[in-house]
Amino acid sequence: MFTLNRKTLSGSTLIVLAILLVAVLALVNTLFRGARIDLTENNLYTLSDGTKSIVSEIEEPINLYFYFSDKASADVPFLRNYANRVRELLEEIAAKSKGKIRLSVIDPQPFSEDEDRASEAGLQAVPVGQGGNSIFFGLAGTNALDGKAVIPFFSPDKESFLEYDVAKMINGLKSDKKIAVGVISSLNIAPGFDPATRGMREGWAAYTQLSDIFDMRMLNPEATTKIDPEISTLLLVHPKTLSDDTLYAIDQFVLRGGRLMVFVDPSGEQDQSGADPENPQAAMFASKSSDLPKLFKAWGINYDPNQIVLDAGNALPIQINPAAPPVQHLAIMGYRKDNLNHDEVTTAQLDTINFSTAGQFSLAESSPLKLVSLVQSSGDAMLTESDRIKFMQDPSTLYEGFKATNERYVLAGRLYGKLKTAFPEKSGPDHLAESKEDANLVVVADTDVLSDRLWVQMQNFFGQKLINAFADNGDFVINVVDNMAGNSALIGIRSRGVSARPFTTVEAIRRKAEQDYRNKEQELQQELADTERKLNELQANKSTDNAMILSPEQQRELEQFQQDKLKIRKDLRNVQHDLDKDIESLGSRLKLLNILVLPLLLTLAVFGLHHFLRRRA
């Protein structure tokens, strides 16, 4: 009877436990629906505050169509893993939007209407995999005002900026109106009338491309006393002798939260100051530099308009004499990925930016700002007086006295922080003594970086102007303006980590094995060299009649070499075998941990709980 009661109790206990488990799961599913715990190292699955802010401001519904060719990508596992990452991010954003974002996940089959809609939306079908199948992997979006936006293809190489790209697209769909960008420039970067030629002047390529995206508004540098509130971003190019009224307008614009991108230059090659047909030498002696001394001093920014950077590590070859080879010009630099900030969305995807006779920035000791480099020199660089290039005929003379300082100079940078006004003596109801929020500035110590000659070739093709870029200067400017002109929350979204994790332990094992393999190979090569040397010595001691016949000593050396060669080859095979064995052993341990250990621990816990309840019963 007692045994029967114990069996009945055990069975009842298991049933009660099962019902309790189901009840707890149902309760947790109800109370914590949508709740997640992000345990990844870089919080990959946690939206940034900037994205949350943008999503919370959506007023009209936005439709997002995520296209991914699931079936066609069956043999491309890395792309499928990344597609899951993108889909989970989109689902998380849609979940936070409270119904304002409607997400549709579509697998466009070949020759289907979905495929036609994907192409019509602007997505790119990319052939990948062994079968050469074309895969759609992009995002299209629409809003209630017939506005459209598209990400043609999600490149895994750009995963760190995935959230930024999606947030930027959503932010763009919130409004169809072009963003107003103000420009104050002493250089003729915009199209207009040229008094010298009495004809129309074409704008620089960088300005033309900006005009395609933004509502560009040229401001008179001599008459600007207030920046229009519609202008959110201001480009200040080669400022020279600006009046205090204009400087005050810029100062208050920045303190109110306006975004400012400044281009100054110790030697602006496009500066036409002093141009006088009746006095050609006037232009040679005129100052070509620009500065913003009053604002820079108040904001704690160090910049010297009399110094330029010479960089032997990035000097570009310049053809001075057609009959002579090109000369490395220390003041004309081509900066590549090693010199560009990989963590900044404005420069991370760029390959080359060319500079010419550029200056550099640093922060004053008392500066409240934080300077983040966008473009910096190599350590093989130094500063020199800008007057050295004014009358220079031969660029090779810049090597005279060149001595690298091992300091990496900042040619372009982003500045954050609270600012105080450069005009503390002024007052009034609209006057701001300091910024309420962190200011956002980008400073560039070169204006030539904007000019066509450093990054683009223009061609006329049947009346149409074609732009062939050989550097990324234009993309750099557009990226910065696009980033600064966007929502302030968008600017706050920084690069994120990537989901792909390297197998560091496996790589360490592989590197050690490769080193052992190379050591054994070198040992084999050394043995071969020693044998050849000994054979040559023995050959030299033989008579002419026996020159074609191996002597007993030579025969022994060859046999010894063959034995050593077999032994070393065996050692090489053992190294390769040990590599495979170590990797297989590591994989086996991980499989054991995943398959057996964790289920075993859970089983022991259940039995422990069961035993505890039986004892209490």
Side-chain angles (χ1 to χ4, degrees):
M1 186 67 179
F2 178 74
T3 303
L4 179 62
N5 287 340
R6 289 190 60 180
K7 290 181 177 177
T8 304
L9 183 61
S10 299
S12 302
T13 303
L14 290 176
I15 293 173
V16 170
L17 284 175
I19 295 174
L20 183 62
L21 177 62
V22 172
V24 169
L25 290 176
L27 184 64
V28 169
N29 191 43
T30 302
L31 294 178
F32 300 100
R33 183 185 296 275
R36 300 179 182 183
I37 300 177
D38 187 355
L39 300 178
T40 57
E41 181 181 4
N42 298 312
N43 294 324
L44 290 177
Y45 301 98
T46 302
L47 296 182
S48 67
D49 292 340
T51 302
K52 292 176 184 175
S53 175
I54 290 172
V55 171
S56 67
E57 296 170 355
I58 298 175
E59 296 181 354
E60 299 293 335
I62 291 175
N63 298 306
L64 296 182
Y65 304 95
F66 174 51
Y67 290 91
F68 178 65
S69 304
D70 187 67
K71 186 177 180 181
S73 63
D75 60 346
V76 194
F78 80 95
L79 205 60
R80 294 175 65 85
N81 291 336
Y82 187 47
N84 288 332
R85 164 92 174 93
V86 176
R87 181 177 53 77
E88 289 171 351
L89 173 68
L90 295 174
E91 290 175 345
E92 181 71 11
I93 291 175
K96 297 290 184 185
S97 71
K98 299 180 179 178
K100 294 295 185 182
I101 292 179
R102 302 164 182 165
L103 175 64
S104 301
V105 180
I106 302 168
D107 178 9
Q109 300 298 320
F111 309 108
S112 66
E113 293 184 358
D114 287 336
E115 189 178 68
D116 292 341
R117 279 193 285 268
S119 298
E120 185 180 355
L123 272 73
Q124 297 174 352
V126 177
V128 296
Q130 297 178 351
N133 296 324
S134 292
I135 291 178
F136 285 94
F137 183 20
L139 183 68
T142 62
N143 60 19
L145 302 174
D146 294 332
K148 297 179 180 178
V150 64
I151 297 177
F153 191 84
F154 286 108
S155 172
D157 295 339
K158 208 180 173 188
E159 182 181 357
S160 57
F161 297 103
L162 170 63
E163 184 178 347
Y164 176 86
D165 289 339
V166 174
K168 176 185 170 186
M169 178 179 176
I170 295 172
N171 187 58
L173 288 170
K174 287 163 55 180
S175 173
D176 275 352
K177 189 177 179 181
K178 273 189 173 183
I179 298 173
V181 174
V183 182
I184 297 177
S185 174
S186 64
L187 303 178
N188 297 321
I189 65 173
F193 180 74
D194 186 355
T197 61
R198 297 185 179 277
M200 294 303 294
R201 178 188 63 239
E202 295 182 345
W204 294 4
Y207 184 90
T208 302
Q209 293 194 338
L210 285 170
S211 301
D212 293 337
I213 305 172
F214 304 102
D215 175 15
M216 303 297 289
R217 301 182 184 182
M218 293 298 299
L219 307 180
N220 187 343
E222 299 176 356
T224 299
T225 57
K226 185 178 181 181
I227 309 297
D228 191 327
E230 286 191 358
I231 294 175
S232 63
T233 302
L234 179 65
L235 294 186
L236 186 55
V237 183
H238 208 48
K240 303 185 71 168
T241 62
L242 295 178
S243 67
D244 273 2
D245 288 342
T246 302
L247 291 173
Y248 180 65
I250 297 170
D251 174 87
Q252 294 296 294
F253 169 78
V254 173
L255 266 57
R256 285 200 309 269
R259 294 76 186 253
L260 178 66
M261 186 176 189
V262 182
F263 294 84
V264 289
D265 200 329
S267 179
E269 297 170 20
Q270 304 300 317
D271 189 339
Q272 300 298 317
S273 298
D276 184 355
E278 298 180 358
N279 183 12
Q281 291 189 342
M284 297 177 62
F285 290 96
S287 172
K288 309 288 186 181
S289 67
S290 56
D291 193 2
L292 209 57
K294 191 162 188 172
L295 298 186
F296 281 171
K297 183 179 180 181
W299 296 343
I301 302 171
N302 290 332
Y303 162 75
D304 188 343
N306 299 312
Q307 288 192 317
I308 62 171
V309 176
L310 302 182
D311 190 348
N314 295 282
L316 290 177
I318 303 298
Q319 189 80 44
I320 302 297
N321 183 355
V327 178
Q328 298 287 329
H329 199 310
L330 291 178
I332 301 180
M333 296 84 73
Y335 288 109
R336 300 184 181 277
K337 284 187 173 295
D338 289 345
N339 306 97
L340 310 181
N341 190 334
H342 298 188
D343 296 326
E344 270 280 340
V345 68
T346 54
T347 51
Q349 299 297 314
L350 304 182
D351 293 321
T352 306
I353 304 177
N354 294 331
F355 284 75
S356 180
T357 60
Q360 60 93 29
F361 298 103
S362 62
L363 290 179
E365 291 184 1
S366 59
S367 176
L369 299 175
K370 178 183 178 183
L371 173 62
V372 178
S373 166
L374 297 179
V375 184
Q376 63 181 0
S377 72
S378 70
D380 194 8
M382 64 169 286
L383 300 178
T384 191
E385 297 297 318
S386 58
D387 284 344
R388 286 185 64 185
I389 61 171
K390 185 170 288 186
F391 305 107
M392 183 181 68
Q393 298 294 327
D394 182 5
S396 62
T397 58
L398 292 174
Y399 281 93
E400 296 174 3
F402 178 82
K403 186 176 181 181
T405 60
N406 295 322
E407 181 178 351
R408 305 191 72 176
Y409 300 102
V410 177
L411 280 70
R414 188 189 290 274
L415 294 153
Y416 300 98
K418 295 284 182 63
L419 291 177
K420 291 186 177 180
T421 179
F423 298 85
E425 71 280 6
K426 288 185 177 290
S427 62
D430 297 328
H431 173 76
L432 292 177
E434 62 180 26
S435 58
K436 294 180 179 178
E437 298 179 352
D438 284 353
N440 197 319
L441 315 173
V442 169
V443 289
V444 183
D446 187 26
T447 57
D448 305 308
V449 71
L450 290 167
S451 64
D452 294 353
R453 79 177 188 92
L454 282 186
W455 71 280
V456 70
Q457 289 180 332
M458 308 289 283
Q459 293 180 334
N460 282 320
F461 184 75
F462 292 100
Q464 290 189 348
K465 184 174 293 185
L466 298 181
I467 296 177
N468 296 315
F470 54 85
D472 296 323
N473 296 34
D475 290 338
F476 168 62
V477 177
I478 290 173
N479 287 350
V480 172
V481 176
D482 192 26
N483 177 253
M484 300 183 77
N487 192 306
S488 58
L490 190 62
I491 298 174
I493 302 174
R494 296 283 176 261
S495 64
R496 308 293 295 270
V498 297
S499 56
R501 303 295 299 276
F503 295 99
T504 54
T505 303
V506 173
E507 289 300 321
I509 294 173
R510 195 182 302 279
R511 283 196 298 271
K512 181 178 181 307
E514 287 176 352
Q515 184 62 43
D516 292 344
Y517 197 89
R518 281 195 294 271
N519 292 339
K520 288 293 181 184
E521 272 191 327
Q522 291 175 359
E523 186 179 339
L524 181 62
Q525 293 294 334
Q526 187 61 44
E527 289 281 349
L528 177 60
D530 291 344
T531 302
E532 287 180 345
R533 179 178 54 77
K534 291 177 182 177
L535 289 176
N536 290 332
E537 290 175 357
L538 293 172
Q539 185 72 14
N541 295 330
K542 290 168 61 178
S543 63
T544 307
D545 296 338
N546 297 327
M548 303 301 294
I549 302 175
L550 290 178
S551 66
E553 291 82 0
Q554 288 177 314
Q555 192 70 37
R556 282 196 296 274
E557 285 296 333
L558 279 177
E559 290 176 356
Q560 183 63 41
F561 172 71
Q562 290 295 340
Q563 293 176 4
D564 292 343
K565 180 180 176 182
L566 291 175
K567 177 179 178 300
I568 293 175
R569 287 192 179 281
K570 183 179 179 181
D571 291 342
L572 288 173
R573 287 196 298 273
N574 288 336
V575 171
Q576 188 64 42
H577 179 264
D578 290 343
L579 167 65
D580 297 337
K581 186 178 176 182
D582 289 342
I583 293 177
E584 288 177 4
S585 175
L586 177 63
S588 299
R589 291 199 299 273
L590 292 175
K591 287 179 181 176
L592 181 66
L593 182 65
N594 289 331
I595 296 174
L596 295 180
V597 175
L598 292 180
L600 182 61
L601 291 175
L602 289 175
T603 303
L604 290 175
V606 171
F607 275 104
L609 178 61
H610 178 63
H611 180 70
F612 173 75
L613 294 176
R614 284 187 61 184
R615 287 178 62 86
R616 287 178 62 96

